[in-house]
Amino acid sequence: MSINRTGTVRRAAVIGSGVMGAGIAAHLANAGMRVLLLDVVPQTLLPEEEKRGLPLASPQVRSRLSQAAIGRMVKAQPAPLYEPSLAARITAGNLEDHLTALSEVDWIVEAVVERLDVKRSLFEKVESVWKPGTLVTSNTSGLSVAEMVEGRSEAFRQHFAVTHFFNPPRYMKLVEVVPTADTDPAVTALLAALCEERLGKGVVVAKDTPNFIANRIGTYGMLVTLEEVLRYGLTVEEADALTGPAMGRPKTATFRMLDLVGLDTLLHVVDNVRDKSSDPAERETFARPPLLEQLVAAGRLGEKSGGGFYRKIKGPKGGSEIESLDLQSLAYRSRSSVKGPIIDAAKAAKGTGGKVKALLGTDPNHRYAQFAWQTIKRTLLYSANLVGVIADSITDIDKAMKWGFNWELGPFELWDALGLQKSVARMKAEGDVVPEWVVQWITEGHSSFYAVQEGKRLVYSGAGGGGYAIEEQSPDEISLAALKEAGRTVLRTSDASLIDLGDDVVCLEFHSQNNAIGGEVLTAIRRTADEVSRNWRGLVIANDGRNFCVGANLLLLLMEAQNGEWDEVEDIIRMFQSSMLSIKKLDRPVVAAPHRMTLGGGVEACLPADQIIFSPETYFGLVETGVGLIPAGGGSKEAAIMAAARAGGGEIQPHLNELFETVAMARTSSSGFDVGRIGLKRPQDRVIMRQDARIAEAKRAVLELDRAGYTPQPESRVRVAGREGKAVLRMGVHSLLLGGQISKHDALIGNKLAHVMAGGDAAPGAEVSEQYLLDLECEAFLSLCGERKTQDRMSHMLSTGKPLRN
């Protein structure tokens, strides 16, 4: 096997079929690899095996653990597989009967229990059948990498490193690659490339230190938070309100996160750092918190034991209620809401930097502000002291915390957002010891760790005259933010921008709230079509938001409908339709690159493109029926076109039935690969594993279409199923209504959707124009907007984020 080509790694083996091992095996299968999943041989029979008369020597029993893990993958939520059929790429086995099969794979991943003796014994077995050149990695979360392979041959150690996946492996972006002094640098490079290019992960190279990067800093942050919570007398709810989104952290914040991780697991990590640290101050910080010891001793381990800092109980009316732990009495009580000017200011502020400044500056003497400052300050200083210890670059530390703990900003990015010079001055005034390299960096005249110059992000490269260096970035990654900072914005409205990607290709970026499509976005789309037609080779539609687009601006529609402004509602629909048509009719190639939630109007912004390049984590669907409407920005029309295209010259009805069901039931894909299952993927559309490369890949696709001599999509007539096809669809709706599976309002919506997608009352097989179908869309949408139950659905979605079935 060449260690320079990721494509040569086609077969893998994962040893250990627990939560992490099974998750890693599933994701390797997602990436197209054939995977052998091995575990130990059971020593006893299960009752059901005894009933079947199976002996311990039976192959089904001997490989039971891995086979059961594969079975769970197909049903698990969140799903570890992009689609259930990919489980066929995984073969179950055991470490006795199938050990020699390890000599036939290209990559062996160990994911067994976190015990050094167990891992050492396992690697001794592995080497007995190891084929020279085969990659071997461990998924340890913090054990010494070098100690795991003590006693192994030099050749084995040269091909060994840690690949620390975060849980769940499919969804968490971070993989920490940790080599030893013996690891061949080419092996380290290959592992990084494998995880980035084939698995779509974000890779940081960490040093062989306890708990590596993310868990080291993340655990420290949790301990500091717990200490400061007790110091300032905060409740569990107050702490979580301050250390969640208000700090640019996930909603799980601190105590909900601890419950998810497991309090016993946290103590294990704490012990690992303390036992291996030679720094007395760090050892003191990583002492076991008495509160955690008490809770663990009492069996309050978090979610897995039914309660930790929070617990769920049955309420007096039969529903469930959440209680929180009183940190003084250790008794549970009803959870309380947290309010106040500081919390409100943080919620209202834009961007992580703005939110944290609001936390600290709204009322600096308030205990909330003091608590927030102490937790942030101590984490920043700890991270700075570990530069060169856990990783060589501050960017790897920042990336590890963003990708592994879902922080919006890494420690050094957050420091910049707070103001490096101002915050360091405050630290010094409070008697804190600031690392010398930070002081020297400021003394040399620098006011931030990062800077942007000519579209390139610069990063601290070392004090003492080292200055900034250009941050390493893959040529497959394009940062829209950096391009905008470099002055590459061609057009802009308040909610969208057109950005020059180079090579005469531009990108239309939405940046409205939740990237929802409203009037400003639609204006930008039409202006973009004119601009691209005149001056550019082609257009990419993509953005770097949390989600690509959650749909149309529902609040605006609801307000107009409730006020009875029907002309205004129709104008909005017509503007939406004409904007999407301007993309479809553009005389330059258009490629859309959606990611994560791409719903309703977001789908309608993609379907007019010549090609769609999906991120693997794309949740794609026309979901308008969930708010009592139908797709009317061209979505219903495009579904009818797809049905006709799939039918060719044959019968339309089977294809129409499939797509009607998808739209009527508001189905969404569970991944980019799953879009085909719900019928919304076209032959020219594809998935790219590496989400970070989607904009660059879309740009390449635009250029390829242009080089091939692009001609715009012709104005075509659409063959429809007509009134007979509509009758078939409505019969299905009626059957569901009679069976109690849908409500009367659902049936009303379904019947109107059937009228549109079948082509209204046209004759079966008639050919109609796209505008005819758009007119049907508009009529149906307007009539549904006037329904009180639809308005109730829209209002409920806006207030709760959940659909109402009325």
Side-chain angles (χ1 to χ4, degrees), residues 666-698:
R667 287 182 178 153
T668 59
S669 69
S670 60
S671 72
F673 293 92
D674 191 49
V675 177
R677 177 187 62 84
I678 65 171
L680 294 178
K681 184 172 179 287
R682 307 165 306 181
Q684 70 269 33
D685 301 332
R686 56 192 174 91
V687 184
I688 181 172
M689 277 296 293
R690 191 175 174 201
Q691 178 170 305
D692 289 345
R694 70 188 185 282
I695 297 177
E697 186 64 22

Side-chain angles (χ1 to χ4, degrees), residues 734-753:
H734 187 63
S735 176
L736 291 173
L737 179 62
L738 288 178
Q741 294 173 265
I742 61 173
S743 68
K744 287 185 178 179
H745 194 56
D746 290 325
L748 174 68
I749 299 163
N751 285 332
K752 288 185 179 293
L753 179 66

Side-chain angles (χ1 to χ4, degrees), residues 333-349:
R333 53 174 175 69
S334 296
R335 186 173 58 169
S336 60
S337 61
V338 181
K339 298 178 181 177
I342 290 177
I343 301 293
D344 293 341
K347 284 181 179 178

Side-chain angles (χ1 to χ4, degrees), residues 649-650 652-653 717-725 758-759 762-768:
I652 298 173
Q653 196 70 50
R717 308 279 291 177
V718 184
R719 192 162 67 93
V720 295
R723 53 182 173 267
E724 291 183 7
E767 292 187 347
V768 301

Side-chain angles (χ1 to χ4, degrees), residues 54 63 72 145 288 448 563 747:
L54 294 173
S63 297
R72 287 192 295 270
V145 187
R288 285 181 155 221
S448 63
N563 292 332

Side-chain angles (χ1 to χ4, degrees), residues 20 24 107 109 114 137-143 145 148 160-167 172-180 188 191-192 195-196 199 201-219 269 390-391 395-405:
M20 284 304 299
I24 293 167
W107 183 11
V109 183
E114 284 284 85
T137 65
S138 169
N139 184 58
T140 181
S141 60
L143 294 178
V145 187
M148 282 191 285
F160 178 80
V162 157
T163 47
H164 177 212
F165 291 80
F166 277 61
N167 189 35
M172 292 301 291
K173 185 173 180 177
L174 180 63
V175 172
E176 293 174 318
V177 172
V178 192
T180 70
T188 304
L191 288 170
C195 293
E196 286 179 347
L199 305 184
K201 296 299 173 188
V203 172
V204 297
V205 178
K207 292 180 180 289
D208 187 3
T209 57
N211 298 101
F212 313 133
I213 302 174
N215 280 342
R216 178 83 166 264
I217 293 175
T219 301
V269 175
I390 59 175
T395 51
D396 275 351
I397 293 175
D398 279 345
K399 288 174 180 176
M401 299 317 299
K402 290 190 291 184
W403 297 342
F405 276 73

Side-chain angles (χ1 to χ4, degrees), residues 499-577:
I499 304 159
D500 180 2
L501 300 181
D503 299 313
D504 292 327
V505 178
V506 282
C507 176
L508 178 61
E509 174 202 40
F510 305 158
H511 43 70
S512 55
Q513 186 173 1
N514 294 322
N515 284 348
I517 298 176
E520 290 295 311
V521 171
L522 296 175
T523 297
I525 288 173
R526 290 185 295 177
R527 288 177 62 192
T528 290
D530 291 339
E531 170 68 20
V532 172
S533 179
R534 287 196 306 267
N535 299 315
W536 304 87
R537 293 171 69 182
L539 172 67
V540 169
I541 303 175
N543 62 69
D544 286 328
R546 183 180 293 274
N547 298 296
F548 175 79
C549 176
V550 298
N553 186 332
L554 198 59
L555 178 60
L556 176 62
L557 280 169
L558 178 60
M559 289 171 57
E560 299 290 6
Q562 288 178 332
N563 292 332
E565 299 288 351
W566 303 117
D567 288 344
E568 293 294 330
V569 176
E570 182 170 0
D571 286 346
I572 292 170
I573 301 167
R574 294 295 187 187
M575 185 177 180
F576 205 123
Q577 292 178 338

Side-chain angles (χ1 to χ4, degrees), residues 793-804:
R793 288 192 180 191
M794 294 165 75
S795 180
H796 190 269
M797 176 62 73
L798 286 167
S799 61
T800 69
K802 297 177 181 178
L804 171 68

